[in-house]
Amino acid sequence: MPKIVDHENQKEIIAGAAWRVIQKNGIEGATVRKIAQESGLSPSALRHYFNSQAQLLEFAMKLVVEHVEQRFLNMNIMVDRITLACAKEILLNLMPMDEERILEMEVWLSLSVKALNEPALKKISNDTYNLIFKAILNMLKQLSEVHLIKPNLNLELEAQRLHVLIDGLSLHRINCPDKITIEKVDLILEEYLNELSNI
């Protein structure tokens, strides 16, 4: 009886292998041969799941987004229960605070550079930017509705400021983890939210 292979699961395994290769060898070193080797497949077997390296990298980038979205779903935030502490947890979930999220961020940054010249990756990058901005804006609106932040704030501007802040912290956390520690990130976010606070 032939072995039944879960096609989508196998694609995720291959994409995970691509992440590890990108982390170890950079985006230029993420060849089909190396990714196939990392995933325990032959290059011809890998092509059964992805027709090209570009298609594989596109899937790998989408998988980062899916992981972030899943973390948000797992948090299951209710509008009437949001607090400043909860808002900080939402933001921390977007940042490289553990090994899994460090890997995701390193892969995302590598693919984002490649996206400058790859239209399919550029679209994913732009869509994700808009998705995260909307999530941050929605969070601020929830905080405003329960009167936890100052009235009359320009929420769209604050969402942009906060988006830039978490992007900057994430980049520095990847590049200088000894200086931008988990504790430092936590403190900076807490101080920012305290500045917005209406309490």
Side-chain angles (χ1 to χ4, degrees):
M1 188 171 180
K3 184 179 177 183
I4 298 172
V5 177
D6 183 332
H7 195 76
E8 282 304 306
N9 184 57
Q10 187 63 38
K11 285 174 75 172
E12 290 192 16
I13 289 169
I14 294 167
W19 286 11
R20 295 189 297 275
V21 171
I22 291 169
Q23 187 181 44
K24 286 188 282 189
N25 305 103
I27 195 71
E28 299 308 320
T31 63
V32 168
R33 182 180 60 79
K34 283 182 181 172
I35 294 168
Q37 184 179 15
E38 179 71 24
S39 60
L41 297 171
S42 67
S44 59
L46 188 146
R47 287 191 183 92
H48 174 70
Y49 298 97
F50 298 101
N51 296 327
S52 64
Q53 182 197 42
Q55 189 182 64
L56 170 53
L57 294 179
E58 186 179 341
F59 185 86
M61 195 172 196
K62 285 179 179 175
L63 193 60
V64 175
V65 180
E66 286 177 19
H67 279 218
V68 174
E69 288 178 329
Q70 190 57 52
R71 275 199 292 274
F72 272 109
L73 290 174
N74 291 344
M75 291 188 76
N76 194 25
I77 305 299
M78 300 297 290
V79 174
D80 60 347
R81 294 183 188 169
I82 195 163
T83 63
L84 289 172
C86 181
K88 186 173 74 172
E89 284 305 308
I90 292 171
L91 298 171
L92 289 172
N93 266 281
L94 293 170
M95 301 172 70
M97 303 298 280
D98 56 29
E99 286 186 21
E100 178 186 357
R101 285 178 283 171
I102 287 170
L103 172 59
E104 290 171 6
M105 183 59 68
E106 289 180 2
V107 169
W108 181 260
L109 290 172
S110 295
L111 289 169
S112 293
V113 171
K114 192 165 182 67
L116 295 172
N117 299 304
E118 294 281 344
L121 297 181
K122 181 71 172 173
K123 183 179 186 319
I124 298 168
S125 180
N126 287 341
D127 288 349
T128 304
Y129 175 91
N130 292 331
L131 180 76
I132 291 173
F133 173 78
K134 285 177 184 173
I136 294 169
L137 180 58
N138 185 54
M139 180 196 76
L140 291 175
K141 285 179 178 177
Q142 290 177 30
L143 289 169
S144 180
E145 285 167 10
V146 293
H147 311 292
L148 288 176
I149 58 177
K150 294 170 185 171
N152 304 319
L153 286 173
N154 182 332
L155 295 183
E156 290 216 1
L157 180 60
E158 288 303 331
Q160 288 173 333
R161 289 179 64 206
L162 195 44
H163 197 173
V164 169
L165 177 63
I166 63 173
D167 279 354
L169 284 172
S170 296
L171 183 59
H172 285 273
R173 174 101 184 98
I174 291 292
N175 289 330
C176 307
D178 55 325
K179 293 179 181 174
I180 305 299
T181 61
I182 290 171
E183 294 77 17
K184 183 70 70 68
V185 170
D186 191 277
L187 177 62
I188 290 170
L189 284 179
E190 186 151 342
E191 288 195 354
Y192 178 88
L193 289 170
N194 284 341
E195 287 174 10
L196 298 184
S197 174
N198 194 34
I199 299 172

